[in-house]
Amino acid sequence: MDVGKRPKHLPRIQALAAVGQCRLMSLWDSLFAHLRQPVAQILLTRNDIADRTQYINAQNTLCELLSMGVIPIVNENDSLAVSEIKFGDNDTLSAITAAMINADYLFLMTDVDCLYDRNPRDYAEAKPIEVISNIAELQADVSSAGSSLGTGGMGTKIVAARLATSAGVTAIITRSSKPGNISAIVAYLQSQSLTLSDSISTSAELDAASLTPSVASPPLHTRFEPFPTPIRSRSFWLLHALTPHGTIYIDRGAFTALTQKAGLLPVGVISVSGTFSQQEAVRLIVLDKASSALALDGDFPAQGSLRSKGEEVGRAVVNYSNVEVTRIKGLRSSQIEGVLGYADSEYVALRENIALVGQERSRPVTPGLEAMERASP
């Protein structure tokens, strides 16, 4: 289309995306046809996975395609998406997709070999960061801004790695101009895993000759190790697939109850900000009594004070709107009907619709995978 740089006008971006989707899939289909490998196209927006049923449907479709031997090509539906329902970058989309299918690896391809402790373009002595066990402690230069035609730079890849590793997926950053890096890195990791298994094996009957030799040195890359106890599927959906529309501030007692698998009662709600409706997602921020007393200005949050003092602890899909929660906050559940004239639920949010950061971890459950494993010989 003879476009030198990314347009700024949204309708033009969407029109070009519609043209590009056809050409991109034609290219993928042509390339994979040489290998007699069928491919499929899946286009997503945040709206497509904001509904739990649609999220499960997307999961099932991806797993069914893989079980059929078809490679799904997943992309954002840029021809329809607007800022409110966009993932924002392909890195985030790839991380959510990897979590959906319980992938072993997520490769985040970029224009550098790996992460460095300093920008290698400016500092010749910059050192590569090869393995990151705890992404929260990462200290690296992320000044790479991405290409003029794409979205996302190194910063978005760090975010994507955080999402993927929280779901139990190993995330890897490596250079996109060397696609052979992918197979070489996977071979190296598999050989390392095999070597480790061999070293701890107590079987005297193990035939060393049958072992695959270790790959001496892999291509340069940065590997983010997955969490040992990943977030389960529904909690991942609540935390990362939904866009929060507001914030509910809760006291420490309510948070403690949530960690013990109780739902969120109105008596534990301190305040509300933002505009949200029933069955929409909100942030949960916990406040200690001292900070909450200072932060409240009458019945309303003092400007900026709650956000600066509170700690975000999770996300929830609520049973009441922001107006309703404001009216019933601090009350007992038995008082809801007297205040509102009705009581849809005794809970502001049911426990099954709440996910806490760093609290609920188990291997993600991907529909279809267990059946696929049982069916395999």
Side-chain angles (χ1 to χ4, degrees):
M1 298 295 293
D2 194 27
V3 177
K5 62 180 181 179
R6 184 181 177 85
K8 296 182 179 180
H9 190 45
L10 180 60
R12 186 168 181 82
I13 293 174
Q14 293 178 320
L16 289 171
V19 174
Q21 284 168 3
C22 294
R23 296 190 177 183
L24 181 62
M25 279 311 299
S26 176
L27 177 61
W28 280 119
D29 191 50
S30 175
L31 291 172
F32 277 104
H34 293 290
L35 304 174
R36 299 184 181 275
Q37 171 64 56
V39 296
Q41 181 183 41
I42 295 181
L43 298 175
L44 296 173
T45 65
R46 277 202 179 272
N47 268 6
D48 295 321
I49 62 172
D51 178 81
R52 179 62 179 169
T53 301
Q54 288 180 258
Y55 181 89
I56 295 297
N57 288 341
Q59 245 181 350
N60 286 333
T61 299
L62 287 165
C63 290
E64 187 64 23
L65 286 169
L66 293 172
S67 70
M68 293 166 58
V70 178
I71 295 179
I73 309 296
V74 182
N75 211 337
E76 184 158 19
N77 194 351
D78 292 318
S79 61
L80 297 179
V82 292
S83 59
E84 291 79 9
I85 62 173
K86 284 179 69 68
F87 291 97
D89 59 85
N90 285 331
D91 298 321
T92 300
L93 175 58
S94 69
I96 292 175
T97 302
M100 274 185 172
I101 63 172
N102 192 10
D104 294 317
Y105 305 105
L106 170 64
F107 280 85
L108 299 164
M109 312 302 286
T110 185
D111 59 352
V112 294
D113 292 306
C114 61
L115 288 181
Y116 292 86
D117 58 354
R118 308 173 79 178
N119 192 330
R121 296 186 179 96
D122 299 328
Y123 300 93
E125 67 276 15
K127 297 179 180 179
I129 302 174
E130 298 181 358
V131 180
I132 297 173
S133 300
N134 186 354
I135 197 169
E137 299 176 356
L138 173 64
Q139 294 182 345
D141 189 286
V142 294
S143 56
S144 175
S147 70
S148 60
L149 295 176
T151 58
M154 191 60 75
T156 66
K157 288 174 173 54
I158 302 299
V159 172
R162 181 177 289 110
L163 296 184
T165 53
S166 73
V169 180
T170 299
I172 296 168
I173 289 177
T174 191
R175 186 179 288 273
S176 59
S177 61
K178 299 177 180 179
N181 283 3
I182 295 177
S183 58
I185 293 169
V186 170
Y188 170 78
L189 294 178
Q190 290 179 339
S191 72
Q192 292 295 102
S193 176
L194 188 59
T195 301
L196 178 62
S197 298
D198 181 39
S199 67
I200 63 176
S201 174
T202 58
S203 173
E205 303 297 326
L206 188 62
D207 182 5
S210 66
L211 295 177
T212 303
S214 297
V215 178
S217 179
L220 202 56
H221 67 282
T222 295
R223 182 171 77 256
F224 299 83
E225 294 185 344
F227 286 21
T229 52
I231 299 173
R232 59 192 176 91
S233 180
R234 184 174 179 84
S235 293
F236 184 91
W237 172 73
L238 287 166
L239 287 169
H240 303 305
L242 303 181
T243 300
H245 293 266
T247 302
I248 291 180
Y249 300 91
I250 63 176
D251 61 32
R252 184 65 62 177
F255 174 63
T256 300
L258 294 181
T259 63
Q260 297 171 356
K261 306 301 182 182
L264 177 60
L265 295 168
V267 70
V269 176
I270 295 173
S271 189
V272 179
S273 67
T275 302
F276 51 87
S277 302
Q278 294 181 6
Q279 301 305 308
E280 288 189 334
V282 299
R283 301 176 189 86
L284 295 179
I285 293 183
V286 65
L287 294 172
D288 293 312
K289 288 184 178 180
S291 63
S292 64
L294 293 173
L296 292 176
D297 179 13
D299 288 333
F300 300 95
Q303 185 68 28
S305 57
L306 285 178
R307 184 171 298 278
S308 63
K309 293 178 179 297
E311 171 193 0
E312 182 172 352
V313 294
R315 302 284 171 88
V317 173
V318 293
N319 294 324
Y320 295 97
S321 70
N322 63 295
V323 175
E324 293 167 323
V325 177
T326 299
R327 293 181 64 188
I328 63 175
K329 63 182 175 63
L331 302 180
R332 295 185 179 277
S333 297
S334 59
Q335 298 175 282
I336 294 177
E337 187 170 1
V339 173
L340 298 180
Y342 54 86
D344 291 339
S345 172
E346 64 179 307
Y347 294 102
V348 173
L350 298 173
R351 188 60 185 84
E352 66 187 44
N353 289 332
I354 298 172
L356 301 179
V357 177
Q359 293 288 327
E360 303 149 291
R361 301 192 182 281
S362 63
R363 192 64 184 172
V365 178
T366 304
L369 283 185
E370 292 182 358
M372 289 161 54
E373 291 173 356
R374 288 196 298 268
S376 61

